[in-house]
Amino acid sequence: MYLSAEAASVDALWKSAGHALLVFGDGTKSRNGDARELCGVSLRLTDPTKNWLTNLVRKASPVYAAGEFLWYLSGSNSGKHICHYAPQYKRFLESDGTAFGAYGKRIEQYDQLHRVYKILLKDPTSRQAIISLWDQSKDSFEAFFGKVRDLPCTLSLQFLIRNGFLNCIATMRSNDFWLGFPYDIFCFTSFQRLLAEMLGLNIGWYQHNVGSFHVYQKDIEKVEKSLAADIGYVVLTTKYSKLNHNEFISELVEFESVYRFHPLLANKIAELEDKLGKDTYWLMLVLLSA
């Protein structure tokens, strides 16, 4: 079965996609165990400001989501960094303590975020504003020989300006519905929001395309319960900041690195508000990560 779905919130997408996986997913085996799988899935989030899964059974962690996105933004491949938010991430690290497929390192290595910004600034009709996360020069080799633990699940992020809105298309080779799906959408739409602000545009739709969309057998009972669960009431701010984003990104990363192990005191929160903007999405992320 081919799955194509559209919804205004990630909660609604969760229920549509989860139901389809359980009913129409084909049985498959993998190195991580038996699973149900749909191939060639395409999901559209029409309002990417509703990018936080509030499902009361899945209970996604906003702290981890914020920490993961800020890890990407830092350009780091440090396992110590991400394990602060998710100690279990240790199993994906290499012997030197780094994450081979770290998205942030790959984005930063070729200055991809800034290049995409420059491309769209120069030509708003461009179809070439792409962040590549799969590196063909090394990843296919590693996939064949199986020497690393952490190959990227995401292939690319493409950004398109149409009718004054910035749209984003994420293409993934593989996506674990229970574990990764909520955080992937959150992080990728956060990049979309950041670029929209840098370009002075409104955020458009977000498209989530996946080669192998799957749920592991061990998680199926939890998925079934989540499909019957209520939606929570966590609402993330949609307020934009008014900043020079070329400088702002480094400020954001610096705040996260300084405050990762220290409580935010009242005077520091005031400093954050002054730098990042009061009640903005970015202030929220730093406060969560701290």
Side-chain angles (χ1 to χ4, degrees):
M1 176 194 168
Y2 166 64
L3 172 61
S4 176
E6 178 177 293
S9 71
V10 71
D11 277 294
L13 278 183
W14 174 267
K15 293 202 171 184
S16 295
H19 177 76
L21 269 172
L22 295 186
V23 175
F24 302 108
D26 295 319
T28 185
K29 294 185 180 297
S30 77
R31 58 191 173 88
N32 293 320
D34 293 345
R36 291 189 196 178
E37 176 189 61
L38 289 171
C39 293
V41 167
S42 184
L43 305 172
R44 178 169 290 194
L45 181 60
T46 58
D47 183 359
T49 66
K50 297 176 181 175
N51 63 348
W52 180 246
L53 184 72
T54 67
N55 187 281
L56 294 176
V57 169
R58 176 56 183 85
K59 296 180 181 178
S61 166
V63 175
Y64 174 74
E68 184 177 47
F69 176 69
L70 292 169
W71 182 50
Y72 294 163
L73 208 58
S74 75
S76 171
N77 65 351
S78 163
K80 185 177 181 181
H81 186 153
I82 191 60
C83 284
H84 173 75
Y85 300 105
Q88 66 272 25
Y89 203 95
K90 190 181 301 182
R91 70 183 188 273
F92 297 116
L93 301 181
E94 304 306 317
S95 58
D96 63 356
T98 63
F100 177 83
Y103 294 171
K105 183 69 173 179
R106 291 172 178 235
I107 293 171
E108 184 269 342
Q109 187 173 7
Y110 299 107
D111 198 20
Q112 292 194 75
L113 186 63
H114 190 251
R115 288 186 181 186
V116 162
Y117 166 68
K118 287 292 190 181
I119 288 169
L120 293 173
L121 198 62
K122 179 183 178 182
D123 179 9
T125 67
S126 178
R127 299 185 290 266
Q128 300 170 353
I130 297 170
I131 289 175
S132 296
L133 295 169
W134 181 268
D135 187 339
Q136 190 65 25
S137 67
K138 58 183 179 181
D139 292 338
S140 292
F141 175 87
E142 297 295 348
F144 181 79
F145 287 101
K147 292 183 178 180
V148 299
R149 299 180 179 180
D150 177 45
L151 285 171
C153 291
T154 308
L155 304 180
S156 66
L157 301 175
Q158 180 179 10
F159 300 91
L160 295 161
I161 299 174
R162 295 296 182 266
N163 302 314
F165 292 86
L166 181 70
N167 306 308
C168 177
I169 301 170
T171 303
M172 304 190 71
R173 63 171 182 84
S174 173
N175 201 199
D176 179 340
F177 175 71
W178 180 258
L179 282 181
F181 176 68
Y183 298 116
D184 290 327
I185 287 190
F186 178 81
C187 287
F188 299 155
T189 53
S190 292
F191 276 117
Q192 181 183 5
R193 179 192 290 259
L194 179 59
L195 276 167
E197 290 192 35
M198 291 169 69
L199 293 161
L201 298 172
N202 290 315
I203 192 170
W205 45 258
Y206 167 80
Q207 189 87 11
H208 194 75
N209 295 333
V210 187
S212 168
F213 193 53
H214 51 267
V215 58
Y216 290 105
Q217 194 68 36
K218 62 184 176 61
D219 296 322
I220 284 179
E221 185 177 346
K222 292 180 287 188
V223 171
E224 290 173 338
K225 290 179 180 178
S226 77
L227 299 182
D230 291 332
I231 294 172
Y233 298 97
V234 178
V235 178
L236 301 185
T237 178
T238 59
K239 185 176 178 181
Y240 276 24
S241 52
K242 297 179 180 179
L243 298 166
N244 178 337
H245 283 79
N246 290 324
E247 298 175 359
F248 160 67
I249 293 175
S250 60
E251 294 271 10
L252 191 62
V253 169
E254 182 180 351
F255 276 124
E256 188 275 340
S257 64
V258 169
Y259 299 130
R260 192 181 310 151
F261 301 105
H262 302 285
L264 286 168
L265 303 177
N267 63 321
K268 295 299 183 182
I269 293 175
E271 181 184 346
L272 281 169
E273 290 179 343
D274 182 58
K275 290 281 189 179
L276 303 180
K278 189 174 183 180
D279 299 326
T280 63
Y281 189 79
W282 312 113
L283 176 66
M284 175 205 71
L285 288 185
V286 176
L287 291 175
L288 281 172
S289 71

